[in-house]
Every structure is written in structure tokens, then in C-alpha cells.
DNA sequence: GTCTATATTTGGATAGAC
DNA sequence: GTCTATCCAAATATAGAC
């Protein structure tokens, strides 16, 4: 599948021939369904989004519960190296000039930022956390830890405990919220 | 220069022709000095390391001072988009199959982990911080925040304050050290 | 040490038959 | 909808002249 190829080699090095081979069709066959390689990539990313949303369901937890859920995500990711690699590789590759997934990741991070910042704000409103400002910086940091850990973990799984590190940062940032902002 | 090309397009998409063009020589001229494209990449990375080490000098701060210095690094990085992009793109690209910089980044992260973990341990010994265990997870997390913020910042500079987010996480993790491990 | 020229491979994409 | 065949462009690398 195209997902595996993009995860294993990145967008630039993955070839349509290889993807077609695994799919059991010819390269021309792939391009019949997807206008171009770039469109195949965006389709792969959109498909993954749809899968993840479906799996999450509409009952998204609120406030502190949502934030705690991020640690579970980190833990579950340990069992999904393919997906982790896909996002780790493509998100960084997307910052290169004219990358076809650049807008996708811009939008994705904007959405993630909003979700985490909202969860922080909700937690404050619900009284789960002390009122605080600069929630944006905290939200960005929480997202960043999870992303950064993935790269380290892919390179050296034995040296990195994604769930433990995520848990530590999350706990520390939440505990520190009142003292700073 | 090759550095700019690899930063702007990643290793796979950057071409020797483009690099040679900017350098004012032919493609064959480049390959006379570097056996292959892969060797050119490792040369670029080694050169950058040498530059950074030279700039840092041998008087590396210890303990808490070293950790605080990381915030300054994050702030200074705001003025060095090229370098930030180079490492953000290549570090993630390096997790792909048979990437020529894979060993380089494995070693780099091992070194970073050791440095940050040592600084944490030193801070505990010096009494700057309460004694704590699981410094490895904390060190990994601190490195991860800085890396993750870079990708977000490259995609949306206006939305990300690398220094502020680094500072928040660092402060929170240090403050939380005693309570957990 | 840098060039020209070229070998060799591979990539994405298109046209048209079936 | 999938194939074969082909085009065209671009890439890395090498050989040999100057």
C-alpha cells in the first residue's frame, strides 16, 4: 500500500512503481485512480484522518480527560510503528519547498493546537486546573513533545519511552500552569 | 551551498546539479571532491558539528546553567531558519530505510541524551534540584520539545514561540522532578 | 582539479488498445 | 478500469580530455 511506501521512504523517494507493485497493478493503473503522485499522497493522508476520526468517535473527552488521553495515545503508538513513521517523516518533509503535504500539515497542526488549547481552557473552566494564560505556548509544547519523541523512538526504541516522557511533561506542565500564567 | 539545498528540499530531492550550480562548478566537479551524494551529506553534517562545537567552546556550562542555556538556543534558533530546517528535515528523513544520515542522527541523539541527562544529574548533585530518578525520560522529553517545536515553527512562525514553549516545559519539568521520581 | 560527454537508471506522466 | 507502450525529463555516477 501507498501508506507503507511513504512511511518507509518518504514522499520523494517512494516510487509509483513500487506502490503499484505491492498493490498488484501497474504504475499506469495507479495513475488512473489518482491524477498524480501528489494527489495519491493527499488521498493517503485524508484516508488516515477519516480512519482516526471514525475510531475516536464523536464522544471526545473534555478538559483534563482529553489531556490524559494523550498519554494513552503515546502508549498505543508504540504498537503502531508504521503510522508513527508516516507522520514523523511526512510532517518534517512537508516543511520543504513546495511539498504537496505542506498545507495539510499546516491545517493539521492548527487543528491540534486548537484542540489542546481548548482542552486546557476547559480544564481551567471546570476547576480542574487553576486559571492561566499563555495556554497557546503550553499547547504547542505538549504537541511538540509527542512529535519529537516519535523521531527519537523510531531511531532508538530501547532508549525512548514515549508514554513515560509524555506523561512526565504533561503532568509537569499542568502542575506548573497556575504558577506562571 | 549543499547545506541550503538539503535544508530546502531534503536529501532525496536535492540534486547534485543544483548544488553544483550554486557553487559555481559542474556536477562532475562536486563528485570529484565527494565520492557520492551520500558522502556529501555526511560531510555537510560533520562540518556543521565542527562549526557548532567551535562556537560553543570548551567551557560548557554545568547543571542548571546548561539546561537554562537550552532556552537561549531556542531563542537564537529563531534567527537561523536555515539551520533549523536542515536538522528538522534531515533528522526525520533519517528514519527512512537505508538513509545515509541514519547513523549520524542515532549518534547525535545518543550524545544529546547523555548531555541533558548528565546536566540533570549534575544539578541534583549540586543541590540545584532535588534528587530524582528517571532522568532519562526527562532528558528525552526536553530534547523532544525543542525538536517538535521546530517543525511547528517552520510551518507557522507566527503561531509558535519556541523560546517561550521551551522555557515553560523546562521550568515545569525541573519543578516537578522532586515530586515524581 | 575542473571540465565535456556520456552511460545508465529511474522517475512521473500520457496515449491508446482491450 | 487496467493494460502495454512510450515519452520525456532528471538523476547519479563514470571516463577521459585539458
Amino acid at each position: 500500500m501507498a501508506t507503507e511506501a511513504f512511511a518507509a521512504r518518504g514522499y520523494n523517494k517512494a516510487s509509483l512503481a513500487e506502490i503499484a507493485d505491492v498493490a498488484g497493478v501497474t504504475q499506469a493503473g495507479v495513475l488512473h485512480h489518482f491524477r498524480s503522485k501528489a494527489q495519491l499522497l493527499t488521498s493517503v493522508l485524508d484516508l488516515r484522518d477519516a480512519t482516526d476520526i471514525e475510531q475516536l468517535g464523536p464522544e471526545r473527552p473534555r478538559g483534563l480527560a482529553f489531556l490524559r488521553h494523550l498519554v494513552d495515545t503515546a502508549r498505543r503508538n508504540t504498537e503502531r510503528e508504521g503510522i508513527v513513521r508516516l507522520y514523523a517523516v511526512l510532517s518534517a518533509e512537508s516543511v520543504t519547498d513546495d511539498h504537496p503535504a505542506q498545507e495539510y500539515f499546516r491545517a493539521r497542526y492548527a487543528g491540534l493546537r486548537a484542540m489542546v488549547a481548548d482542552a486546557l481552557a476547559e480544564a481551567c473552566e471546570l476547576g480542574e486546573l487553576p486559571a492561566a494564560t499563555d495556554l497557546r505556548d503550553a499547547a504547542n509544547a505538549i504537541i511538540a513533545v509527542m512529535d519529537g519523541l516519535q523521531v527519537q523512538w523510531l531511531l532508538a526504541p530501547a532508549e525512548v519511552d514515549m508514554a513515560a516522557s509524555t506523561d512526565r511533561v504533561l503532568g509537569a506542565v499542568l502542575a506548573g500552569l497556575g504558577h506562571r500564567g
Side-chain angles (χ1 to χ4, degrees), chain A residues 119-140:
Chain A
L120 286 169
E122 285 162 12
C124 294
E125 287 171 17
L126 294 173
E128 297 171 335
L129 293 175
T133 58
D134 275 342
L135 297 179
R136 307 280 288 268
D137 288 337
N140 288 352

Side-chain angles (χ1 to χ4, degrees), chain A residues 79-101:
Chain A
E79 310 296 329
R80 307 190 306 171
E81 185 185 310
I83 304 301
V84 170
R85 179 175 261 120
L86 181 76
Y87 281 107
V89 170
L90 292 181
S91 63
E93 199 181 21
S94 81
V95 313
T96 57
D97 292 350
D98 301 319
H99 194 281

Side-chain angles (χ1 to χ4, degrees), chain A residues 3-181:
Chain A
T3 307
E4 282 74 24
F6 287 138
R9 301 185 223 305
Y11 172 74
N12 283 313
K13 192 162 192 193
S15 76
L16 292 176
E18 169 203 6
I19 293 167
D21 236 38
V22 177
V25 295
T26 65
Q27 183 220 24
V30 172
L31 285 177
H32 176 75
H33 294 282
F34 307 93
R35 227 171 262 281
S36 67
K37 189 187 178 185
Q39 214 210 39
L40 172 59
L41 174 64
T42 61
S43 295
V44 164
L45 292 171
D46 287 345
L47 174 65
R48 275 251 56 88
D49 269 3
T51 306
D52 287 354
I53 288 175
E54 183 184 350
Q55 187 174 351
L56 180 63
E59 71 282 9
R60 154 175 106 201
R62 297 274 160 187
L64 206 56
F66 174 83
L67 298 169
R68 292 278 169 223
H69 184 71
L70 295 177
V71 180
D72 296 329
T73 301
R75 186 174 297 110
R76 226 183 45 208
N77 277 346
T78 306
E79 310 296 329
R80 307 190 306 171
E81 185 185 310
I83 304 301
V84 170
R85 179 175 261 120
L86 181 76
Y87 281 107
V89 170
L90 292 181
S91 63
E93 199 181 21
S94 81
V95 313
T96 57
D97 292 350
D98 301 319
H99 194 281
Q102 193 166 113
E103 267 321 302
Y104 171 85
F105 278 104
R106 236 191 282 272
R108 178 183 162 88
Y109 278 115
L112 286 174
R113 269 196 278 274
M115 276 173 64
V116 176
D118 282 358
L120 286 169
E122 285 162 12
C124 294
E125 287 171 17
L126 294 173
E128 297 171 335
L129 293 175
T133 58
D134 275 342
L135 297 179
R136 307 280 288 268
D137 288 337
N140 288 352
I142 290 168
I143 296 166
V145 196
M146 298 183 69
D147 287 350
L149 285 170
Q150 293 183 357
V151 174
Q152 288 187 58
W153 176 74
L154 288 167
L155 284 171
E159 308 295 326
V160 180
D161 186 333
M162 292 196 289
S165 285
T166 302
D167 188 34
R168 178 177 283 258
V169 165
L170 191 62
V173 168
L174 295 182
L177 264 190
H179 310 156
R180 326 239 325 176

